[in-house]
Amino acid sequence: NYTEWNYNDPIYSISEEEKESGRKTCNYREIIAENIEYKDQMRCLNSSDAERYTEMYELICDVVTGQRKNMIIGGSEYTADYVRERFLRLRSTHLLYVLHCLDQTETKIINIRSYLTTALFHSFSTIGNYYHQEVRHDMYGGGWAEKGIV
């Protein structure tokens, strides 16, 4: 006899807290996508790298919207707020750097999620020195000389 849907049924109702959490998640996803130039990168990257970039985007969103108070990254414990703040500062250059480093890694990675989380977290403190060393190697360590450029 009851043909109308009862939206007040507590089984199907969503609390204000859940609605607010959903809005925060949506806002964070938009902020992260803008920070890492997600749409632009999807147009520029080949399909394999675009898929890997998307996985890193999803990982960043998971870390930022997580509910834990503390996180362990690379064996060290950090507050979730500190980790969230660092992940919200990531840019496309950091993700491309991690992709580049992964392409050069031949070691088997057992826990890829933990590895990527650690690599992204530490990308701020390693990206500059990494590319500086790459240039030094190419210019002075035999890279250019071996190729007959110098």
Side-chain angles (χ1 to χ4, degrees):
N1 292 342
Y2 298 101
T3 58
E4 296 195 21
W5 189 262
N6 183 359
Y7 290 101
N8 294 324
D9 187 342
I11 295 174
Y12 300 104
S13 65
I14 297 174
S15 70
E16 286 301 316
E17 186 177 300
E18 290 173 320
K19 288 178 187 177
E20 183 62 27
S21 176
R23 281 192 287 271
K24 281 184 182 177
T25 299
C26 184
N27 290 342
Y28 276 132
R29 291 180 70 82
E30 291 171 6
I31 290 167
I32 294 164
E34 186 177 312
N35 287 351
I36 65 169
E37 302 169 345
Y38 183 76
K39 289 180 182 177
D40 293 336
Q41 294 298 330
M42 290 302 102
R43 286 191 288 268
C44 297
L45 294 170
N46 64 45
S47 61
S48 175
D49 286 343
E51 185 176 317
R52 294 166 60 208
Y53 199 88
T54 298
E55 289 175 5
M56 285 195 287
Y57 165 67
E58 293 295 334
L59 174 64
I60 294 166
C61 292
D62 286 348
V63 169
V64 168
T65 60
Q67 300 299 316
R68 293 184 176 177
K69 292 184 181 185
N70 293 312
M71 299 182 77
I72 296 175
I73 296 180
S76 299
E77 188 171 351
Y78 300 94
T79 64
D81 288 337
Y82 177 67
V83 174
R84 185 176 296 113
E85 182 264 326
R86 277 185 77 124
F87 273 70
L88 285 171
R89 290 188 314 154
L90 287 169
R91 299 295 181 257
S92 60
T93 53
H94 298 104
L95 275 70
L96 294 172
Y97 160 63
V98 171
L99 279 176
H100 176 73
C101 290
L102 281 171
D103 287 342
Q104 294 182 344
T105 302
E106 296 177 359
T107 307
K108 181 167 178 58
I109 301 169
I110 304 299
N111 186 344
I112 192 70
R113 180 181 172 86
S114 176
Y115 186 91
L116 286 173
T117 303
T118 302
L120 289 167
F121 183 81
H122 291 297
S123 65
F124 291 101
S125 55
T126 57
I127 191 170
N129 282 305
Y130 176 82
Y131 284 118
H132 177 77
Q133 184 57 33
E134 286 282 295
V135 169
R136 289 191 56 75
H137 171 266
D138 288 347
M139 291 179 70
Y140 306 111
W144 286 4
E146 289 171 356
K147 297 174 185 159
I149 297 173
V150 180

